[in-house]
Amino acid sequence: MDKGTPITFSLRKYITIPMRSGESAPLRFTSVKVEFGVGTFYPGTPVPGAAEEHTNEDVGPPIPTGTRRGNLQPSSPQTRVVPGTLADARSEGSLGQLIRAANAGDDPVVFVRSTQTVATTGGAFPDASGASSNNVVLYSNNAALRFSTDGGVSFAGNLSPPGNLNVDGGSDGDHVIIYIPKIDRFVWFMQFWATNKTSGPNRYRVAVASPQQVIDSNGKAWMYFDLTSGLFGFGTDWMDYPDLAVGDKFLHFSANVIGANAGRLVGRIPLSDLKNGGVINIGFTGTPLSMAWGSHLAQNITSTAYLAGHNGNSGLRIFSFPENSPGYSVHDINIDTWPNDPDKYVSIAPHGLPDNKNWLACYTKDPKKSCLPGTAIIGAARKPRLQCIGDKPVDGDELWLAWTASASKEKEGDGFRQPHVQLVKIDTSNYSKLSQEQIWNDKLAFAYPALAVNTRKEVGVAIAIGGGGSDSNFGVSIYGDPNIYLPPVLADASITRYGDYFAIRRHWPNEGIFSAFGLYYTRNDKSELTCCKKSSDPKTTCGGETSKVGNCSTNMSFIQFGRKSAVNNEQIPEKCSKEEICKCNNEHDKCITDCEKKRDACMENKPGNPLPKECAQMFNECRRECGDTLKLCRAKCE
């Protein structure tokens, strides 16, 4: 055939047209019956027969480059990282022993408990999840569950899921745990692997027990039911990377769907069904959602559930699921452009693998080596917000969304020298952006954010930190505090895939403090400088695509923390009225508007793309002055 010869052909493929902003769609409904079963207790680790999680093949489509907005510069001060320097909380004689309170004022962040090596395994990336109620703490990884009845001082396990484990591809997938105070139940959400490991249907086993049942049965007795691919009409497609959130009336769940129905499944189960048993009624999205691949549900919701995804790197798509509605809606929001260069997700760990010391190597553009979460929005939470109509206060909500972003390209002015976390706050009354901020540092990388909101309206953060001469570590903080706090025991090794998610929850009954669940890696033989071990064993390799790294242990970390006043159950009285707060907020909003006008005027006089540094510096300084003015105005309220 000659070059340039025209060829006529046709291509037939069924596609799903994404919903448009403002549109709604109905849920579908089905039901299952519960069963009762007993898990098996294994005193050793790991659980016999449990395989390590496979490298995810369900990374999802790349995020398109969106319309350029903003200046790609930090809008928040640098975040510092502070290691714990005092005694490990397990040896403390009283709650609230201060770990470190640098520049935290009179009400510092304190650790109630800091228990490392909850479980130590030879495998890697056992995604961390958990929840706590009084002295009962549940902690899961990909293979099993461990539990504590002494507030997290010590943990027993491992426990395998109840019921038949010889179904689908085995019970070695992701686990998620949450506690529901309204019905006094833990929910343990367990993934079974795809039938053929990378294809074929699978299921989630949902186990339910009260804290007292966990104590009485030594963690073994559970009511449970299965959510299968077939139940949702997905045929041979399989599900991965789940998440849970609790609302006023429902337990909401989500998961990726891999195959012909690719997208994000979202469903809900009445809390009354979980408490009473019998028949479990389920509502779910019949067509998995695009633009939300890998995203996690917003935590601490009330009457509406939220899930968000990227609409390019300068837009968000938010899915809202009102609990009093049989459907859901979508809302598109413009945000400032954030850096998303696959070659700039690099943070070098001193004890990383010899062939690749980048502990963020999962963010590669190579689909064969990339893995979740990537840039998925895995940090999400609802925060109560005082809204002001003029000077009139009205109760409302903010939706906080966080994800990992890359370092900046050189042509973007080197605004972010390291991978970092972007955080956007949304007003859910009109789905408008309130602010866009960052957790960042010039020398350290931040990734894998998880968020939760306590009853004091503080946002707790669980996050990964690494680079700058340090291995990848797990830390916590309360947003707005200048520091991320590390536990006393730190990592001395790193691999190319840290893990796919952390968890942070409100503790019960003191919902002013947080329980956070993470992990870190240590070398068994300290004479070896990395996780690799010299061995003739063919199973021991050091490639970035395998967890068989030989010389490393995965250590699970449990941190319970909060402000000192919250730990001591001190009530903080309101020192000024909501009307006075609204006046301060209105003055601040007017100040920000004036800053934006000055920025626009500067850009007219000094055009350029990206935003000229002189204009960016002026705008950021103006915003900081607005913030200082707001602090002075509200000082009497604090």
Side-chain angles (χ1 to χ4, degrees), residues 26-49:
L27 297 174
R28 295 182 184 177
F29 296 90
T30 187
S31 62
V32 295
K33 292 184 178 181
V34 304
E35 299 181 55
F36 293 87
V38 176
T40 304
F41 176 77
Y42 295 101
T45 58
V47 172

Side-chain angles (χ1 to χ4, degrees), residues 341-403:
D341 183 344
D343 294 325
K344 293 290 187 176
Y345 288 96
V346 178
S347 180
I348 301 303
H351 302 103
L353 299 179
D355 62 341
N356 192 344
K357 293 183 178 294
N358 179 18
W359 65 277
L360 294 177
C362 265
Y363 289 82
T364 174
K365 58 188 174 183
D366 183 349
K368 294 183 179 180
K369 295 182 179 181
S370 59
C371 50
L372 285 167
T375 56
I377 300 173
I378 60 171
R382 164 211 160 257
K383 180 180 182 290
R385 175 175 184 260
L386 176 65
Q387 295 178 285
C388 301
I389 301 176
D391 290 340
K392 181 181 179 181
V394 179
D395 291 332
D397 287 333
E398 295 176 1
L399 179 62
W400 288 39
L401 304 171
W403 65 93

Side-chain angles (χ1 to χ4, degrees), residues 13-16 233-238 257-263 286-288 293:
K13 181 177 178 65
Y14 292 101
I15 61 174
T16 300
F234 294 153
T236 58
D237 292 355
W238 61 286
V257 181
I258 300 96
N261 299 284
T287 301
W293 191 266

